[in-house]
Amino acid sequence: MIFEYTGRHVEVTPAIRTHVEEQFGKLAAIFNGNNVPVHVTLAVEKNRQTGEVIVHWVEHTLKATDTNADMYMA
């Protein structure tokens, strides 16, 4: 997987990068080890931490978004 990160009003730290890549490691079997582009956007707005993931795989675009008080949970 090829990861690209964007931080809006937040610095994307190496710890956050490691956490995201570990979580996606669980899905490696689904993507058959292909170089799938993954775009991760992290945003902070007052007390809301938002994480958005966009994966371009085969002919599909998969998108997931979550808002939480903790960046690691989002």
Side-chain angles (χ1 to χ4, degrees), residues 24-54:
F24 268 92
K26 298 174 185 177
L27 301 174
I30 295 172
F31 297 112
N32 299 326
N34 294 332
N35 286 333
V36 178
V38 178
H39 186 88
V40 180
T41 304
L42 305 172
V44 175
E45 198 174 307
K46 294 187 180 181
N47 290 343
R48 294 181 295 190
Q49 316 282 328
T50 303
E52 178 182 82
V53 178
I54 300 173

Side-chain angles (χ1 to χ4, degrees), residues 5-71:
Y5 295 90
T6 301
R8 294 190 178 127
H9 305 289
V10 65
E11 179 184 345
V12 182
T13 63
I16 292 174
R17 290 175 188 258
T18 302
H19 179 73
V20 169
E21 292 172 15
E22 284 177 357
Q23 296 300 314
F24 268 92
K26 298 174 185 177
L27 301 174
I30 295 172
F31 297 112
N32 299 326
N34 294 332
N35 286 333
V36 178
V38 178
H39 186 88
V40 180
T41 304
L42 305 172
V44 175
E45 198 174 307
K46 294 187 180 181
N47 290 343
R48 294 181 295 190
Q49 316 282 328
T50 303
E52 178 182 82
V53 178
I54 300 173
V55 179
H56 299 286
W57 183 52
V58 188
E59 296 178 4
H60 304 285
T61 300
L62 309 172
K63 179 180 176 183
T65 304
D66 187 30
T67 302
N68 203 314
D70 182 21
M71 181 61 75

